[in-house]
Amino acid sequence: MSLVVQKYGGSSVADAEGIKRVAKRIVEAKQNGHQVVVVVSAMGDTTDELIDLAGQVSPMPSGREFDMLLTAGERISMALLAMAIKNLGHEAQSFTGSQAGVITDSVHNKARIIDVTPGRIKTSVDEGNIAIVAGFQGVSQDKKDITTLGRGGSDTTAVALAAALDADVCEIYTDVDGVFTADPRVVKKARKIDWISFEDMLELASSGSKVLLHRCVEYARRYNIPIHVRSSFSGLQGTWVSNEPRGDRKVEQAIISGVAHDTSEAKITVVGVPDKPGEAAAIFRAIADAQVNIDMVVQNVSAATTGLTDISFTLPKTEGRKAVDALEKTRAQVGYESLRYDDQIAKISLVGAGMKTNPGVTATFFEALSDAGVNIELISTSEIRISVVTRAEDVNESVRAVHTAFGLDSDSDEAVVYGGTGR
Amino acid sequence: MSLVVQKYGGSSVADAEGIKRVAKRIVEAKQNGHQVVVVVSAMGDTTDELIDLAGQVSPMPSGREFDMLLTAGERISMALLAMAIKNLGHEAQSFTGSQAGVITDSVHNKARIIDVTPGRIKTSVDEGNIAIVAGFQGVSQDKKDITTLGRGGSDTTAVALAAALDADVCEIYTDVDGVFTADPRVVKKARKIDWISFEDMLELASSGSKVLLHRCVEYARRYNIPIHVRSSFSGLQGTWVSNEPRGDRKVEQAIISGVAHDTSEAKITVVGVPDKPGEAAAIFRAIADAQVNIDMVVQNVSAATTGLTDISFTLPKTEGRKAVDALEKTRAQVGYESLRYDDQIAKISLVGAGMKTNPGVTATFFEALSDAGVNIELISTSEIRISVVTRAEDVNESVRAVHTAFGLDSDSDEAVVYGGTGR
């Protein structure tokens, strides 16, 4: 008998109606002969309401207590979901993260799963129950305290459980039909992707695609668990994320998987850095010591006349203040001329393993932006991704132009063929 | 160092302001040199809201899932309370019932505590923390499932923890100043009781006094844990419930502790029962098999001419339908004439260990009711209690008349002295 892990997000279980709809879908999977384990998030706005309550009693809630508080959210949704399933005549049991054997480290609010010991879940499904597991939460290995996994944690719970239970598939139900070639709110002609490799999905996730988080895809790749991202509202097939297209389905790998964009970053430029060894290291040590995560890093060649260079990097806007403070403290040591902080930027990324072997992708990408009158401020590439930074106001136009240029529009013929050598 | 267990009910922590007020009070106890363990209920209406949600997804929620759902309530209040305490500069840690070692049987929704193993709580307070424990919940011994203790369960959690930790006192904080000689909403001149014995408190609790539930007092008596019932809003001394008045306080035991009333019961009279062995047994076996709890039972002497008698008993109104159904099924076997169901009754009870040695109490009680023009329908007594059933509409008048007759009014001189022999 095959075992399916299904995950339902907060928008799918936002109210009693949503819970009943999801219960029906779960029962269908059971009736189709699968063993079913369900991971569920907190209902709709529950988590935000709890965060608001915490803010009312303390400006700096402790991590341990914050986790204890937030985990009440899934407790509510999972119990209600189990009740709704039983009301349809099927047996269901809900389990907290701790009961489900989700063991984490002790870093409250963003704990990492270090082991999953799903003995109780296994027993429950073997006895014929549908097991409902609280997403987003676990229990710390050393102190046995309740922990939460941070943003997108329920997806990670689902994939980790699927791996531990050796599930056939991890289905991530959400409020969209799958992963698209671009954000459908920006590109009306964006197409749903039928299949995408773990690698391309990882790049999309780290380039601003919100459907799956990087951490969850990374986990699935490590344990080779196929993910099926699909809508909890429609019955449609969604997007499969796996190592290889499934044998029984004819899906060709596109050269380009999609275009992602991200407007949550800011850019800092350190102007007039002496071009000598150790300068960049001093700058990024200061940033690292301030616990700031950075994304793209670009250094231009230095001007021959001055021996000075500029170093630019992007980072989440929310960490801008912290980074600027850290850099200002290190100014005397580094001896740079000035800092520029700019949060009116957008990052546009083109992702596709096909670009490794299809020359001309970079040229087509830049031409599309140029034709749209968009200026490129920074460029950064990986083996299967090209990212540029543009003005924030150009983001929608840029994404549409690139999407069209690579033949991704839904009314377009198949993907463009490139000439030339290298990209 | 003395150890104090404090319990705060839902009305004390109804909102962020309430939680902050309670946090201050807890910190005061800590600053006074006590080790402090706090048991907290769910915030205000949280439990009702969760019950409402359950009703929206299932008309018959399963016990296991219902408990999982409801326990989210204390999880929220205890985490917020711990945050609020930490915000005042003191260390606090919250614990679920399971983490606190509250072990119960497996009867969901009204589990009984069968053991308390408070190792983590002990460690936490020994390390200098204030330990916050979720009331009302535990974990079942056999299946390790989450359970709830039913109505008033948080008080029981507090007393059970106090017993397991060998606490000096269990303080029950509530929205009234203590236990009164009668319900202050009915009797304006009701007096706060400074001290009351476990026995009298048990009789008051089972006679309709809502301040403490029977089960909690029973537990405290068994383990000899003094309870201090007091207001979380005022700083006043409340009511001490214990075996003996405390040595350092001069409190005399009154002859009469108080007058309780209860309008939640109905009366069933089985009319025309053949007065022969086995008839009453058949009736009450039928009631017991229907899982109905009964309270007072009265049988009159049979009329010599007919050989028939009437049997009356009281029971919660909510179980009336069930009881009547069960009795109708047994009619042919018992051969009674008819059933009368009456839910317009009130029970008035006079409680006090002093009535054992003070003759005339019963006479004074009945005279007071008679003078107030109140008709007595049933009478039932224990060693330290007399209860009567009257019309529901007479309840307030009855309670006031009895309260005055026994010198309990706050503007009265001390308690009346009785003459005569026996009661």
Side-chain angles (χ1 to χ4, degrees), chain A residues 16 20 56 59 62 64-66 71 75 79 82-83 86-87 93-94 120 143-145, chain B residues 16 20 56 59 62 64-66 68 71 75 79 83 86-87 93-94 120 143-145:
Chain A
K20 288 194 266 191
Q56 288 177 43
S62 99
R64 181 186 189 280
E65 301 308 324
F66 204 64
T71 51
R75 202 174 187 89
M83 289 178 194
K86 288 168 86 91
N87 198 41
Q93 290 186 317
S94 66
R120 289 188 69 174
K143 295 188 183 165
K144 311 292 177 219
D145 281 334
Chain B
K20 287 194 266 190
Q56 288 178 41
S62 100
R64 180 186 189 279
E65 300 308 326
F66 204 64
M68 187 66 98
T71 50
R75 204 176 186 85
M83 288 176 193
K86 289 167 87 89
N87 198 39
Q93 290 186 318
S94 66
R120 288 188 71 175
K143 295 186 181 165
K144 311 291 175 219
D145 280 335

mmCIF file of all heavy atoms in Angstrom, chain A residues 16 20 56 59 62 64-66 71 75 79 82-83 86-87 93-94 120 143-145, chain B residues 16 20 56 59 62 64-66 68 71 75 79 83 86-87 93-94 120 143-145:
data_model
loop_
_atom_site.group_PDB
_atom_site.id
_atom_site.type_symbol
_atom_site.label_atom_id
_atom_site.label_comp_id
_atom_site.label_asym_id
_atom_site.label_seq_id
_atom_site.Cartn_x
_atom_site.Cartn_y
_atom_site.Cartn_z
ATOM 1 N N ALA A 16 -14.123 27.004 9.177
ATOM 2 C CA ALA A 16 -14.753 25.684 9.290
ATOM 3 C C ALA A 16 -15.050 25.099 7.911
ATOM 4 O O ALA A 16 -14.868 23.896 7.682
ATOM 5 C CB ALA A 16 -16.027 25.783 10.124
ATOM 6 N N LYS A 20 -13.635 21.548 6.391
ATOM 7 C CA LYS A 20 -14.503 20.472 5.898
ATOM 8 C C LYS A 20 -14.150 20.091 4.449
ATOM 9 O O LYS A 20 -14.192 18.921 4.079
ATOM 10 C CB LYS A 20 -15.976 20.879 6.025
ATOM 11 C CG LYS A 20 -16.442 20.873 7.485
ATOM 12 C CD LYS A 20 -17.944 20.938 7.606
ATOM 13 C CE LYS A 20 -18.400 22.363 7.779
ATOM 14 N NZ LYS A 20 -19.818 22.458 8.166
ATOM 15 N N GLN A 56 1.356 42.503 22.958
ATOM 16 C CA GLN A 56 0.627 43.271 23.971
ATOM 17 C C GLN A 56 1.142 43.021 25.390
ATOM 18 O O GLN A 56 0.969 43.857 26.274
ATOM 19 C CB GLN A 56 -0.871 42.925 23.920
ATOM 20 C CG GLN A 56 -1.580 43.489 22.695
ATOM 21 C CD GLN A 56 -3.032 43.049 22.671
ATOM 22 O OE1 GLN A 56 -3.727 43.059 23.681
ATOM 23 N NE2 GLN A 56 -3.517 42.653 21.511
ATOM 24 N N PRO A 59 7.352 43.441 24.883
ATOM 25 C CA PRO A 59 7.970 43.916 23.636
ATOM 26 C C PRO A 59 9.016 42.931 23.111
ATOM 27 O O PRO A 59 9.315 42.928 21.924
ATOM 28 C CB PRO A 59 8.620 45.241 24.043
ATOM 29 C CG PRO A 59 8.793 45.150 25.520
ATOM 30 C CD PRO A 59 7.718 44.252 26.036
ATOM 31 N N SER A 62 10.242 35.969 24.989
ATOM 32 C CA SER A 62 11.331 34.983 24.960
ATOM 33 C C SER A 62 11.041 33.923 23.910
ATOM 34 O O SER A 62 9.891 33.593 23.635
ATOM 35 C CB SER A 62 11.489 34.319 26.329
ATOM 36 O OG SER A 62 10.848 33.066 26.353
ATOM 37 N N ARG A 64 11.518 30.665 23.859
ATOM 38 C CA ARG A 64 10.864 29.456 24.353
ATOM 39 C C ARG A 64 9.366 29.679 24.490
ATOM 40 O O ARG A 64 8.557 28.868 24.049
ATOM 41 C CB ARG A 64 11.461 29.070 25.704
ATOM 42 C CG ARG A 64 10.854 27.804 26.308
ATOM 43 C CD ARG A 64 11.378 27.563 27.720
ATOM 44 N NE ARG A 64 10.980 26.271 28.243
ATOM 45 C CZ ARG A 64 9.777 26.010 28.771
ATOM 46 N NH1 ARG A 64 8.862 26.960 28.820
ATOM 47 N NH2 ARG A 64 9.489 24.811 29.224
ATOM 48 N N GLU A 65 8.980 30.779 25.099
ATOM 49 C CA GLU A 65 7.558 31.026 25.341
ATOM 50 C C GLU A 65 6.824 31.395 24.054
ATOM 51 O O GLU A 65 5.657 31.062 23.874
ATOM 52 C CB GLU A 65 7.383 32.117 26.403
ATOM 53 C CG GLU A 65 8.027 31.771 27.742
ATOM 54 C CD GLU A 65 7.584 30.414 28.265
ATOM 55 O OE1 GLU A 65 6.413 30.045 28.061
ATOM 56 O OE2 GLU A 65 8.421 29.697 28.865
ATOM 57 N N PHE A 66 7.527 32.083 23.162
ATOM 58 C CA PHE A 66 6.938 32.424 21.877
ATOM 59 C C PHE A 66 6.577 31.141 21.115
ATOM 60 O O PHE A 66 5.498 31.035 20.518
ATOM 61 C CB PHE A 66 7.946 33.251 21.078
ATOM 62 C CG PHE A 66 7.321 34.127 20.029
ATOM 63 C CD1 PHE A 66 6.474 35.154 20.395
ATOM 64 C CD2 PHE A 66 7.583 33.923 18.685
ATOM 65 C CE1 PHE A 66 5.900 35.964 19.433
ATOM 66 C CE2 PHE A 66 7.015 34.723 17.724
ATOM 67 C CZ PHE A 66 6.168 35.750 18.097
ATOM 68 N N THR A 71 2.583 27.427 18.828
ATOM 69 C CA THR A 71 2.206 26.052 18.531
ATOM 70 C C THR A 71 0.755 25.744 18.905
ATOM 71 O O THR A 71 0.230 24.699 18.528
ATOM 72 C CB THR A 71 3.136 25.046 19.249
ATOM 73 O OG1 THR A 71 3.206 25.397 20.632
ATOM 74 C CG2 THR A 71 4.522 25.063 18.649
ATOM 75 N N ARG A 75 -2.364 23.180 16.918
ATOM 76 C CA ARG A 75 -3.121 22.300 17.808
ATOM 77 C C ARG A 75 -4.618 22.448 17.517
ATOM 78 O O ARG A 75 -5.370 21.476 17.502
ATOM 79 C CB ARG A 75 -2.822 22.726 19.232
ATOM 80 C CG ARG A 75 -3.069 21.679 20.264
ATOM 81 C CD ARG A 75 -2.573 22.212 21.597
ATOM 82 N NE ARG A 75 -2.613 21.226 22.634
ATOM 83 C CZ ARG A 75 -1.635 20.384 22.914
ATOM 84 N NH1 ARG A 75 -0.534 20.400 22.200
ATOM 85 N NH2 ARG A 75 -1.760 19.517 23.883
ATOM 86 N N ALA A 79 -6.777 19.407 15.446
ATOM 87 C CA ALA A 79 -7.872 18.744 16.170
ATOM 88 C C ALA A 79 -9.179 18.903 15.398
ATOM 89 O O ALA A 79 -9.955 17.952 15.248
ATOM 90 C CB ALA A 79 -7.997 19.321 17.574
ATOM 91 N N ALA A 82 -9.154 16.609 12.364
ATOM 92 C CA ALA A 82 -9.412 15.208 12.735
ATOM 93 C C ALA A 82 -10.900 14.991 13.013
ATOM 94 O O ALA A 82 -11.497 13.998 12.596
ATOM 95 C CB ALA A 82 -8.573 14.825 13.957
ATOM 96 N N MET A 83 -11.522 15.947 13.700
ATOM 97 C CA MET A 83 -12.964 15.853 13.965
ATOM 98 C C MET A 83 -13.761 15.822 12.664
ATOM 99 O O MET A 83 -14.706 15.042 12.514
ATOM 100 C CB MET A 83 -13.445 17.084 14.757
ATOM 101 C CG MET A 83 -12.993 17.128 16.191
ATOM 102 S SD MET A 83 -13.594 18.679 16.941
ATOM 103 C CE MET A 83 -12.598 18.678 18.438
ATOM 104 N N LYS A 86 -13.450 12.448 11.003
ATOM 105 C CA LYS A 86 -14.243 11.434 11.710
ATOM 106 C C LYS A 86 -15.722 11.625 11.406
ATOM 107 O O LYS A 86 -16.501 10.666 11.341
ATOM 108 C CB LYS A 86 -13.987 11.527 13.212
ATOM 109 C CG LYS A 86 -12.600 11.018 13.598
ATOM 110 C CD LYS A 86 -12.220 11.360 15.027
ATOM 111 C CE LYS A 86 -12.717 10.329 15.995
ATOM 112 N NZ LYS A 86 -11.756 9.258 16.240
ATOM 113 N N ASN A 87 -16.113 12.875 11.212
ATOM 114 C CA ASN A 87 -17.503 13.174 10.880
ATOM 115 C C ASN A 87 -17.879 12.632 9.503
ATOM 116 O O ASN A 87 -19.059 12.501 9.175
ATOM 117 C CB ASN A 87 -17.721 14.686 10.942
ATOM 118 C CG ASN A 87 -19.180 15.046 11.048
ATOM 119 O OD1 ASN A 87 -19.932 14.394 11.766
ATOM 120 N ND2 ASN A 87 -19.591 16.066 10.318
ATOM 121 N N GLN A 93 -6.544 10.601 13.843
ATOM 122 C CA GLN A 93 -5.930 10.977 15.120
ATOM 123 C C GLN A 93 -4.962 12.122 14.873
ATOM 124 O O GLN A 93 -4.189 12.083 13.922
ATOM 125 C CB GLN A 93 -5.141 9.792 15.702
ATOM 126 C CG GLN A 93 -6.006 8.657 16.199
ATOM 127 C CD GLN A 93 -5.176 7.587 16.891
ATOM 128 O OE1 GLN A 93 -4.107 7.227 16.407
ATOM 129 N NE2 GLN A 93 -5.668 7.076 18.011
ATOM 130 N N SER A 94 -5.005 13.117 15.737
ATOM 131 C CA SER A 94 -4.064 14.221 15.574
ATOM 132 C C SER A 94 -2.877 14.050 16.517
ATOM 133 O O SER A 94 -3.001 13.454 17.583
ATOM 134 C CB SER A 94 -4.759 15.555 15.833
ATOM 135 O OG SER A 94 -5.153 15.676 17.179
ATOM 136 N N ARG A 120 4.789 6.648 16.484
ATOM 137 C CA ARG A 120 3.353 6.736 16.767
ATOM 138 C C ARG A 120 2.544 6.946 15.492
ATOM 139 O O ARG A 120 1.420 6.459 15.354
ATOM 140 C CB ARG A 120 3.054 7.882 17.743
ATOM 141 C CG ARG A 120 3.531 7.574 19.153
ATOM 142 C CD ARG A 120 3.064 8.625 20.138
ATOM 143 N NE ARG A 120 1.628 8.590 20.364
ATOM 144 C CZ ARG A 120 0.996 9.330 21.273
ATOM 145 N NH1 ARG A 120 1.677 10.165 22.028
ATOM 146 N NH2 ARG A 120 -0.319 9.259 21.423
ATOM 147 N N LYS A 143 16.580 19.665 25.644
ATOM 148 C CA LYS A 143 15.762 20.151 26.765
ATOM 149 C C LYS A 143 14.319 19.694 26.725
ATOM 150 O O LYS A 143 13.545 20.000 27.615
ATOM 151 C CB LYS A 143 15.791 21.677 26.790
ATOM 152 C CG LYS A 143 17.164 22.255 27.077
ATOM 153 C CD LYS A 143 17.050 23.758 27.286
ATOM 154 C CE LYS A 143 18.394 24.404 27.504
ATOM 155 N NZ LYS A 143 18.321 25.856 27.348
ATOM 156 N N LYS A 144 13.923 19.025 25.652
ATOM 157 C CA LYS A 144 12.523 18.598 25.505
ATOM 158 C C LYS A 144 11.567 19.796 25.526
ATOM 159 O O LYS A 144 10.432 19.686 26.003
ATOM 160 C CB LYS A 144 12.108 17.590 26.585
ATOM 161 C CG LYS A 144 13.075 16.432 26.783
ATOM 162 C CD LYS A 144 13.098 15.516 25.597
ATOM 163 C CE LYS A 144 14.130 14.396 25.754
ATOM 164 N NZ LYS A 144 14.805 14.112 24.485
ATOM 165 N N ASP A 145 12.042 20.940 25.059
ATOM 166 C CA ASP A 145 11.172 22.111 24.961
ATOM 167 C C ASP A 145 10.500 22.134 23.588
ATOM 168 O O ASP A 145 11.027 21.603 22.614
ATOM 169 C CB ASP A 145 11.990 23.400 25.145
ATOM 170 C CG ASP A 145 12.288 23.679 26.605
ATOM 171 O OD1 ASP A 145 11.507 23.217 27.462
ATOM 172 O OD2 ASP A 145 13.291 24.356 26.884
ATOM 173 N N ALA B 16 -4.831 41.028 27.635
ATOM 174 C CA ALA B 16 -3.421 41.349 27.890
ATOM 175 C C ALA B 16 -3.279 42.117 29.205
ATOM 176 O O ALA B 16 -2.338 41.867 29.976
ATOM 177 C CB ALA B 16 -2.849 42.160 26.726
ATOM 178 N N LYS B 20 -1.037 40.970 32.465
ATOM 179 C CA LYS B 20 0.024 41.790 33.050
ATOM 180 C C LYS B 20 -0.225 42.022 34.546
ATOM 181 O O LYS B 20 0.702 42.048 35.342
ATOM 182 C CB LYS B 20 0.140 43.115 32.290
ATOM 183 C CG LYS B 20 0.783 42.917 30.913
ATOM 184 C CD LYS B 20 1.226 44.217 30.287
ATOM 185 C CE LYS B 20 0.145 44.767 29.384
ATOM 186 N NZ LYS B 20 0.623 45.907 28.575
ATOM 187 N N GLN B 56 -18.832 23.676 14.545
ATOM 188 C CA GLN B 56 -18.962 24.015 13.121
ATOM 189 C C GLN B 56 -18.431 22.910 12.212
ATOM 190 O O GLN B 56 -18.831 22.813 11.053
ATOM 191 C CB GLN B 56 -18.222 25.326 12.822
ATOM 192 C CG GLN B 56 -18.903 26.553 13.380
ATOM 193 C CD GLN B 56 -18.087 27.810 13.098
ATOM 194 O OE1 GLN B 56 -17.541 27.983 12.009
ATOM 195 N NE2 GLN B 56 -17.994 28.683 14.078
ATOM 196 N N PRO B 59 -20.847 17.630 14.504
ATOM 197 C CA PRO B 59 -21.858 17.663 15.560
ATOM 198 C C PRO B 59 -21.470 16.791 16.755
ATOM 199 O O PRO B 59 -21.946 17.008 17.858
ATOM 200 C CB PRO B 59 -23.102 17.112 14.867
ATOM 201 C CG PRO B 59 -22.605 16.327 13.722
ATOM 202 C CD PRO B 59 -21.306 16.933 13.299
ATOM 203 N N SER B 62 -15.006 13.899 18.492
ATOM 204 C CA SER B 62 -14.451 12.793 19.288
ATOM 205 C C SER B 62 -13.764 13.339 20.521
ATOM 206 O O SER B 62 -13.207 14.433 20.520
ATOM 207 C CB SER B 62 -13.462 11.997 18.447
ATOM 208 O OG SER B 62 -12.143 12.370 18.744
ATOM 209 N N ARG B 64 -11.005 12.446 22.087
ATOM 210 C CA ARG B 64 -9.565 12.658 21.982
ATOM 211 C C ARG B 64 -9.254 13.979 21.279
ATOM 212 O O ARG B 64 -8.425 14.759 21.725
ATOM 213 C CB ARG B 64 -8.941 11.495 21.194
ATOM 214 C CG ARG B 64 -7.436 11.614 21.025
ATOM 215 C CD ARG B 64 -6.906 10.513 20.101
ATOM 216 N NE ARG B 64 -5.463 10.463 20.083
ATOM 217 C CZ ARG B 64 -4.689 11.276 19.363
ATOM 218 N NH1 ARG B 64 -5.216 12.224 18.625
ATOM 219 N NH2 ARG B 64 -3.368 11.151 19.392
ATOM 220 N N GLU B 65 -9.939 14.227 20.177
ATOM 221 C CA GLU B 65 -9.649 15.436 19.400
ATOM 222 C C GLU B 65 -10.179 16.687 20.089
ATOM 223 O O GLU B 65 -9.597 17.763 19.997
ATOM 224 C CB GLU B 65 -10.223 15.300 17.986
ATOM 225 C CG GLU B 65 -9.662 14.116 17.216
ATOM 226 C CD GLU B 65 -8.136 14.095 17.205
ATOM 227 O OE1 GLU B 65 -7.527 15.171 17.180
ATOM 228 O OE2 GLU B 65 -7.565 12.985 17.249
ATOM 229 N N PHE B 66 -11.291 16.541 20.788
ATOM 230 C CA PHE B 66 -11.854 17.658 21.538
ATOM 231 C C PHE B 66 -10.845 18.119 22.600
ATOM 232 O O PHE B 66 -10.625 19.314 22.789
ATOM 233 C CB PHE B 66 -13.155 17.208 22.194
ATOM 234 C CG PHE B 66 -14.095 18.331 22.496
ATOM 235 C CD1 PHE B 66 -14.652 19.086 21.473
ATOM 236 C CD2 PHE B 66 -14.426 18.645 23.802
ATOM 237 C CE1 PHE B 66 -15.522 20.120 21.754
ATOM 238 C CE2 PHE B 66 -15.300 19.683 24.094
ATOM 239 C CZ PHE B 66 -15.843 20.422 23.062
ATOM 240 N N MET B 68 -7.579 17.621 22.500
ATOM 241 C CA MET B 68 -6.438 18.217 21.803
ATOM 242 C C MET B 68 -6.748 19.685 21.484
ATOM 243 O O MET B 68 -5.920 20.571 21.657
ATOM 244 C CB MET B 68 -6.172 17.441 20.512
ATOM 245 C CG MET B 68 -4.930 17.849 19.778
ATOM 246 S SD MET B 68 -3.413 17.465 20.691
ATOM 247 C CE MET B 68 -2.942 15.902 19.914
ATOM 248 N N THR B 71 -7.048 22.090 24.779
ATOM 249 C CA THR B 71 -5.801 22.360 25.486
ATOM 250 C C THR B 71 -4.974 23.452 24.815
ATOM 251 O O THR B 71 -4.005 23.935 25.406
ATOM 252 C CB THR B 71 -4.948 21.077 25.605
ATOM 253 O OG1 THR B 71 -4.844 20.472 24.311
ATOM 254 C CG2 THR B 71 -5.593 20.090 26.560
ATOM 255 N N ARG B 75 -2.411 26.707 26.556
ATOM 256 C CA ARG B 75 -1.096 26.888 25.940
ATOM 257 C C ARG B 75 -0.867 28.369 25.624
ATOM 258 O O ARG B 75 0.226 28.896 25.809
ATOM 259 C CB ARG B 75 -1.078 26.079 24.644
ATOM 260 C CG ARG B 75 0.276 25.688 24.171
ATOM 261 C CD ARG B 75 0.090 24.808 22.943
ATOM 262 N NE ARG B 75 1.317 24.250 22.468
ATOM 263 C CZ ARG B 75 1.854 23.126 22.933
ATOM 264 N NH1 ARG B 75 1.269 22.468 23.896
ATOM 265 N NH2 ARG B 75 2.984 22.678 22.429
ATOM 266 N N ALA B 79 1.813 30.720 27.954
ATOM 267 C CA ALA B 79 2.977 31.290 27.260
ATOM 268 C C ALA B 79 2.975 32.812 27.419
ATOM 269 O O ALA B 79 4.007 33.421 27.694
ATOM 270 C CB ALA B 79 2.967 30.904 25.787
ATOM 271 N N MET B 83 5.747 35.186 29.326
ATOM 272 C CA MET B 83 6.360 36.353 28.667
ATOM 273 C C MET B 83 6.204 37.603 29.527
ATOM 274 O O MET B 83 7.134 38.402 29.675
ATOM 275 C CB MET B 83 5.669 36.619 27.327
ATOM 276 C CG MET B 83 5.980 35.627 26.243
ATOM 277 S SD MET B 83 4.985 36.054 24.777
ATOM 278 C CE MET B 83 5.210 34.557 23.822
ATOM 279 N N LYS B 86 8.581 37.526 32.463
ATOM 280 C CA LYS B 86 9.954 37.796 32.032
ATOM 281 C C LYS B 86 10.141 39.280 31.724
ATOM 282 O O LYS B 86 11.207 39.852 31.934
ATOM 283 C CB LYS B 86 10.300 36.938 30.815
ATOM 284 C CG LYS B 86 10.464 35.462 31.166
ATOM 285 C CD LYS B 86 10.495 34.584 29.942
ATOM 286 C CE LYS B 86 11.884 34.445 29.382
ATOM 287 N NZ LYS B 86 12.638 33.329 29.962
ATOM 288 N N ASN B 87 9.065 39.885 31.237
ATOM 289 C CA ASN B 87 9.117 41.305 30.933
ATOM 290 C C ASN B 87 9.262 42.148 32.206
ATOM 291 O O ASN B 87 9.628 43.316 32.151
ATOM 292 C CB ASN B 87 7.848 41.712 30.178
ATOM 293 C CG ASN B 87 7.998 43.029 29.458
ATOM 294 O OD1 ASN B 87 9.054 43.314 28.886
ATOM 295 N ND2 ASN B 87 6.972 43.848 29.514
ATOM 296 N N GLN B 93 9.092 29.875 33.114
ATOM 297 C CA GLN B 93 8.993 28.849 32.070
ATOM 298 C C GLN B 93 7.604 28.252 32.107
ATOM 299 O O GLN B 93 7.086 27.945 33.184
ATOM 300 C CB GLN B 93 10.006 27.727 32.328
ATOM 301 C CG GLN B 93 11.448 28.126 32.103
ATOM 302 C CD GLN B 93 12.389 26.933 32.235
ATOM 303 O OE1 GLN B 93 12.216 26.128 33.149
ATOM 304 N NE2 GLN B 93 13.339 26.818 31.335
ATOM 305 N N SER B 94 6.995 28.085 30.949
ATOM 306 C CA SER B 94 5.667 27.477 30.921
ATOM 307 C C SER B 94 5.774 25.987 30.590
ATOM 308 O O SER B 94 6.694 25.552 29.897
ATOM 309 C CB SER B 94 4.768 28.187 29.907
ATOM 310 O OG SER B 94 5.234 27.986 28.591
ATOM 311 N N ARG B 120 10.068 18.052 36.238
ATOM 312 C CA ARG B 120 10.526 19.242 35.495
ATOM 313 C C ARG B 120 10.149 20.527 36.230
ATOM 314 O O ARG B 120 10.877 21.521 36.174
ATOM 315 C CB ARG B 120 9.915 19.255 34.088
ATOM 316 C CG ARG B 120 10.531 18.204 33.177
ATOM 317 C CD ARG B 120 10.047 18.353 31.742
ATOM 318 N NE ARG B 120 10.588 19.542 31.089
ATOM 319 C CZ ARG B 120 10.392 19.833 29.818
ATOM 320 N NH1 ARG B 120 9.686 19.038 29.050
ATOM 321 N NH2 ARG B 120 10.898 20.929 29.288
ATOM 322 N N LYS B 143 -2.102 5.552 26.851
ATOM 323 C CA LYS B 143 -1.911 5.872 25.433
ATOM 324 C C LYS B 143 -1.071 7.110 25.179
ATOM 325 O O LYS B 143 -0.815 7.473 24.037
ATOM 326 C CB LYS B 143 -3.278 6.067 24.769
ATOM 327 C CG LYS B 143 -4.127 4.810 24.740
ATOM 328 C CD LYS B 143 -5.381 5.083 23.929
ATOM 329 C CE LYS B 143 -6.290 3.864 23.881
ATOM 330 N NZ LYS B 143 -7.635 4.224 23.410
ATOM 331 N N LYS B 144 -0.709 7.825 26.239
ATOM 332 C CA LYS B 144 0.038 9.088 26.097
ATOM 333 C C LYS B 144 -0.740 10.103 25.258
ATOM 334 O O LYS B 144 -0.152 10.893 24.520
ATOM 335 C CB LYS B 144 1.421 8.864 25.453
ATOM 336 C CG LYS B 144 2.233 7.745 26.086
ATOM 337 C CD LYS B 144 2.691 8.101 27.484
ATOM 338 C CE LYS B 144 3.391 6.929 28.164
ATOM 339 N NZ LYS B 144 3.043 6.833 29.588
ATOM 340 N N ASP B 145 -2.060 10.050 25.340
ATOM 341 C CA ASP B 145 -2.875 11.036 24.645
ATOM 342 C C ASP B 145 -3.159 12.219 25.576
ATOM 343 O O ASP B 145 -3.183 12.077 26.798
ATOM 344 C CB ASP B 145 -4.208 10.404 24.221
ATOM 345 C CG ASP B 145 -4.069 9.578 22.962
ATOM 346 O OD1 ASP B 145 -3.141 9.858 22.173
ATOM 347 O OD2 ASP B 145 -4.882 8.662 22.755
#
